[in-house]
Amino acid sequence: MADNVTSLFRTGAHSPSMAALARESGEAGPLDFCIPCNPYFPTPAMFDELTHRLRDIITYYPSSADTITAELCNLLQLPPQCVAMGNGSTELITWIDHLLVRESLAIPVPTFGRWTDQPLETGKRVDMFPLQESNGFALDPAQYIQFIRSRGTRAAVICNPNNPDGGFLPRQTILAFCDALADLDLIVIDESFLEFADAENEPSVVEEAVMRPNVIVLRSLGKNFGLHGVRFGYMVANPGLAGRIRSMLPKWNLNAFAETVVFMLKNHGPEYAESLQLVRRDRLDMAHQLSALPGLTIYPSQGNFLFVRLPVGAEGTVVRDRLLTEHRILVRECGNKIGSSSRFLRLVVRPPADVRRLVSGMESVLFGARRGAAVPELNTGTNYSSGTAAVDRLVGSTNGQGFPGLAASANGMVGQPQALPLPQPLTAGANGMVQQPQPMVAAANGMVGQPQPLTAAQTRGTNGMPGGLTAVNAQGQPQQFPPQFAPQQGYPQQPQAMPQPQPVPPPQPTGWPNTAGASDGVGWPAAGTVNRVG
């Protein structure tokens, strides 16, 4: 039975569904640290209401997507002509690719798999910009812009926060990025996890997107509300772009569960705002608890998950399988994410009691003697292979023509990670650029301290830029770039004319609700009215 369950993880690029795990195991689902849900929303009272209405929900047709979208826009105070709702954000990514990505798309990796897989499936060139492990997987927008220019890419994506590492860029940095690439066919800012961020009071660029000719902001209701099974997300753009996507969506692409939840939200704004505060609080507590495990590195995150690097010698698939079969705990091993390796896990933020169970299980699997520790001995220079050579081969085969020596070049890279101190709060400089916090590293004695040097084999795949892939030098040092990412001369010519935005009613002062703020106790949360926690 255990072999049947663990075999489910070797059949695709994504984790198996909870239903599939339950079918194979014949038991209730495990403690879930894999699927990035909101554990505090919907509330028990909301679930009771959904249960009471279940028969009608599954018996009758839902209203049209236009009706459901109008209710959501009324709640969020967005112009309906600038919004398209999809059966999950994946449906919107699919149509964005089909309609708006002409030939190429750039995306930092590792990231959400559909941003790489979807355009590859339709024959587009995907230019993958590797985030550096030595820099805590933080995205340098100047380097990314230079990479886009050097490749001649026509569409670009930033996930903010990024999945799986939780990396975050402040609002002004995102807007400067959009300004610098105003000539591209398309820029997508994926804000699916932004409501869990607390680094800024108003981090979203939604209001600016409706006024720009080539910017789409993607949002996920399933992730925010902890309802992945309902399948609903939305995008915001100028009326021309939003209308093109909306015109291709089926009239009833949203189900009755989605309709019921959307119409319930106006009565549960305070509970939702409180749930976000609790997740942010738990994120700090979880990072602190995990830091007690020797050799574990915890990267700073603004999502509802933490990206962690296992100690030297640990194999992520072994840790994942043993946590599931021995401790009934489900985690996301990231070896099948391009730009990552099996030494990394993504762990969803959960309440402290659940985290204590996770830490106990990981301690047993990594260092216990009952079945042999996953980590033979810390800090002994174990010849661990991260498996990133396979990642390099995949990048080399999918990142466009002209780089036949990419994998071989990457295999020859050698770099030493920098010593990284405890994370500090995110601070923005005068130019709007954020000073990135550094990952937490637990030393062999259990205290948070400096990481041990890794061998070339350990750092090869994610430490240092593969030759020819980016516009930075072999040591990973950024080149000088114009202030505010000003475009340089000699870049590709302007694309064909995009649909021009139609006049949009100006946002109201209490318009787009930044749910990072709390509710005033009446209706849906108002922006910027809460003391932040975490």
Side-chain angles (χ1 to χ4, degrees):
M1 184 67 69
D3 290 341
N4 290 342
V5 172
T6 57
S7 68
L8 293 173
F9 292 90
R10 289 176 271 279
T11 59
H14 299 277
S15 298
S17 69
M18 197 64 70
L21 290 173
R23 285 193 297 269
E24 288 295 335
S25 66
E27 301 174 352
L31 180 58
D32 179 26
F33 282 89
C34 177
I35 310 301
C37 294
N38 181 342
Y40 300 107
F41 196 84
T43 64
M46 294 177 69
F47 277 117
D48 288 344
E49 182 178 349
L50 289 169
T51 301
H52 178 72
R53 300 170 62 181
L54 178 62
R55 185 181 183 91
D56 288 344
I57 290 173
I58 64 176
T59 298
Y60 301 110
Y61 284 111
S63 300
S64 68
D66 289 343
T67 299
I68 303 171
T69 301
E71 174 65 15
L72 181 70
C73 291
N74 182 60
L75 180 74
L76 304 180
Q77 299 186 30
L78 287 170
Q81 67 268 32
C82 296
V83 176
M85 288 190 71
N87 190 254
S89 59
T90 299
E91 181 177 47
L92 298 173
I93 292 173
T94 300
W95 283 111
I96 288 170
D97 171 56
H98 278 288
L99 297 177
L100 303 177
V101 179
R102 292 190 299 169
E103 58 184 45
S104 56
L105 178 141
I107 179 74
V109 293
T111 194
F112 177 51
R114 291 313 298 167
W115 281 121
T116 55
D117 299 349
Q118 172 60 43
L120 285 172
E121 291 166 5
T122 55
K124 314 291 173 49
R125 190 185 81 230
V126 178
D127 296 330
M128 304 178 195
F129 179 74
L131 300 175
Q132 300 299 290
E133 179 183 345
S134 61
N135 195 35
F137 294 96
L139 174 62
D140 184 321
Q143 292 184 25
Y144 186 33
I145 291 170
Q146 194 166 356
F147 169 78
I148 291 168
R149 294 305 193 186
S150 69
R151 296 288 288 137
T153 318
R154 300 307 309 153
V157 178
I158 286 182
C159 296
N160 194 42
N162 190 42
N163 171 16
D165 55 273
F168 171 84
L169 292 176
R171 178 174 174 273
Q172 288 303 318
T173 302
I174 294 292
L175 292 178
F177 177 86
C178 295
D179 289 340
L181 298 174
D183 61 302
L184 293 193
D185 295 346
L186 181 68
I187 299 171
V188 180
I189 309 300
D190 188 338
E191 295 184 350
S192 291
F193 294 99
L194 190 64
E195 304 226 329
F196 299 104
D198 59 0
E200 280 189 315
N201 288 336
E202 298 183 7
S204 178
V205 296
V206 162
E207 289 185 350
E208 286 74 16
V210 303
M211 305 302 295
R212 292 173 180 258
N214 68 336
V215 176
I216 289 176
V217 171
L218 195 68
R219 310 274 291 192
S220 172
L221 295 173
K223 296 179 178 65
N224 298 340
F225 302 150
L227 294 171
H228 292 272
V230 172
R231 308 304 305 146
F232 54 173
Y234 66 99
M235 57 161 278
V236 183
N238 72 68
L241 288 179
R244 288 188 65 184
I245 300 296
R246 200 166 51 244
S247 68
M248 301 302 296
L249 296 172
K251 187 174 184 63
W252 284 287
N253 69 318
L254 302 175
N255 60 57
F257 273 108
E259 177 179 19
T260 303
V261 172
V262 167
F263 276 83
M264 288 173 64
L265 291 176
K266 60 179 173 289
N267 299 320
H268 297 280
E271 296 99 315
Y272 176 60
E274 181 182 7
S275 77
L276 297 179
Q277 294 185 50
L278 292 173
V279 170
R280 297 173 193 135
R281 179 204 65 185
D282 290 350
R283 183 171 60 211
L284 289 176
D285 176 83
M286 183 172 171
H288 177 73
Q289 290 196 51
L290 288 170
S291 68
L293 291 172
L296 198 73
T297 302
I298 304 99
Y299 293 89
S301 172
Q302 285 287 292
N304 61 333
F305 47 81
L306 296 174
F307 198 48
V308 304
R309 184 180 64 197
L310 295 171
V312 174
E315 170 61 40
T317 56
V318 174
V319 173
R320 176 201 65 202
D321 292 352
R322 287 186 56 188
L323 281 172
L324 181 60
T325 57
E326 297 174 17
H327 300 276
R328 299 294 297 158
I329 295 173
L330 179 63
V331 300
R332 176 61 160 99
E333 177 268 326
C334 294
N336 60 358
K337 279 187 172 290
I338 297 175
S340 180
S341 79
S342 187
R343 199 178 164 193
F344 293 88
L345 304 178
R346 186 194 66 195
L347 302 173
V348 171
V349 173
R350 291 192 63 87
D354 294 342
V355 176
R356 287 192 291 272
R357 181 175 160 189
L358 170 69
V359 171
S360 176
M362 290 185 67
E363 183 177 28
S364 173
V365 169
L366 291 172
F367 311 113
R370 183 163 65 88
R371 285 185 52 190
V375 179
E377 184 177 353
L378 286 177
N379 304 325
T380 58
T382 304
N383 187 22
Y384 169 75
S385 174
S386 68
T388 52
V391 174
D392 293 336
R393 287 194 297 272
L394 181 56
V395 173
S397 65
T398 59
N399 200 46
Q401 299 179 356
F403 296 101
L406 178 62
S409 174
N411 286 338
M413 299 294 292
V414 177
Q416 292 297 332
Q418 303 171 2
L420 301 175
L422 283 169
Q424 300 297 325
L426 290 168
T427 57
N431 60 356
M433 297 296 293
V434 70
Q435 298 294 323
Q436 294 289 345
Q438 299 298 328
M440 300 170 66
V441 182
N445 61 1
M447 301 298 291
V448 176
Q450 302 301 325
Q452 296 297 318
L454 303 179
T455 66
Q458 294 157 8
T459 62
R460 184 172 295 126
T462 55
N463 189 39
M465 296 285 191
L469 184 60
T470 70
V472 296
N473 60 33
Q475 287 74 36
Q477 298 298 322
Q479 299 177 358
Q480 294 298 318
F481 204 79
Q484 297 299 316
F485 318 130
Q488 300 177 1
Q489 298 297 322
Y491 290 145
Q493 296 180 355
Q494 299 287 330
Q496 298 177 0
M498 296 293 293
Q500 294 301 311
Q502 302 172 17
V504 178
Q508 299 299 317
T510 58
W512 172 252
N514 182 342
T515 46
S519 169
D520 56 9
V522 180
W524 197 246
T529 58
V530 70
N531 293 325
R532 305 199 161 274
V533 179

